[in-house]
Amino acid sequence: MKNIFEKAITDEVIERINQLNPSTKPNWGKMSTDQMLAHCNVTYELDFEDKHPKPKGFKKWMLKTFVKNIVVSEKPYKRNGRTAPEFLIASEKDFNLEKGRLIAYINKAQELGSDYYDQKESHSFGKLSKTEWNNMFYKHLDHHLTQFGV
């Protein structure tokens, strides 16, 4: 899997994002580009913002036991897969705002670097290795950028 913490890969991902416009249609699924960008921002919000409640008890156990490996492994996501409630974006969003936020988040994570993320506590899955953080960040972005043909 490509390493999102490498500047060249970050730049490649951002170039793909810059190919999107508000009327870009998905190859599958129902999200619009603005919703997809907002959806991708949630991964970074969980890391950088304090706006989503941390899972507790049974929900946390379920996430760590059944969801974590799907999210942090190198196995690609299936098309039209289920998503967590925090990631569901039903309303219209501001395309330029969401695009700018996503690019800023990607750059921030890259600048912090992989060593910053090694054994860092994630919002939902406990401590992750830098490889698991990379897989979570890159795989999700690649999945949705591929969904929109870029």
Side-chain angles (χ1 to χ4, degrees):
M1 182 161 297
K2 292 185 179 182
N3 186 346
I4 194 75
F5 297 115
E6 293 178 9
K7 179 87 169 95
I9 303 304
T10 297
D11 291 345
E12 177 185 298
V13 168
I14 291 170
E15 175 55 34
R16 291 170 70 189
I17 292 168
N18 283 328
Q19 293 175 40
L20 296 167
N21 64 62
S23 62
T24 305
K25 301 290 181 213
N27 294 319
W28 72 85
K30 298 176 183 176
M31 284 191 289
S32 60
T33 50
D34 57 291
Q35 290 170 325
M36 179 272 287
L37 293 168
H39 168 87
C40 287
N41 276 321
V42 174
T43 301
Y44 292 95
E45 290 170 355
L46 293 170
D47 184 30
F48 296 129
E49 311 294 335
D50 188 25
K51 66 186 286 184
H52 302 281
K54 287 195 178 221
K56 294 184 174 111
F58 182 71
K59 182 177 181 179
K60 185 170 185 163
W61 179 83
M62 291 289 289
L63 288 168
K64 288 174 88 170
T65 305
F66 296 107
V67 178
K68 176 183 173 183
N69 193 52
I70 295 167
V71 172
V72 303
S73 74
E74 291 193 15
K75 185 178 178 184
Y77 292 124
K78 295 178 183 174
R79 293 181 177 190
N80 297 311
R82 292 187 52 153
T83 192
E86 297 85 356
F87 286 81
L88 294 173
I89 309 295
S91 62
E92 187 176 319
K93 298 293 183 181
D94 180 315
F95 174 85
N96 290 317
L97 176 70
E98 297 302 331
K99 179 180 165 185
R101 289 178 64 228
L102 184 57
I103 290 170
Y105 283 141
I106 293 167
N107 280 324
K108 182 176 181 178
Q110 188 275 320
E111 289 165 6
L112 287 168
S114 61
D115 288 342
Y116 170 83
Y117 282 96
D118 200 25
Q119 298 308 309
K120 183 178 184 292
E121 184 85 16
S122 76
H123 181 272
S124 303
F125 305 125
K127 289 184 179 181
L128 300 178
S129 70
K130 59 186 171 186
T131 300
E132 290 171 321
W133 277 101
N134 173 69
N135 293 351
M136 179 170 63
F137 286 148
Y138 183 81
K139 180 168 72 168
H140 191 234
L141 290 167
D142 184 59
H143 173 78
H144 288 294
L145 293 172
T146 300
Q147 176 187 13
F148 280 81
V150 297

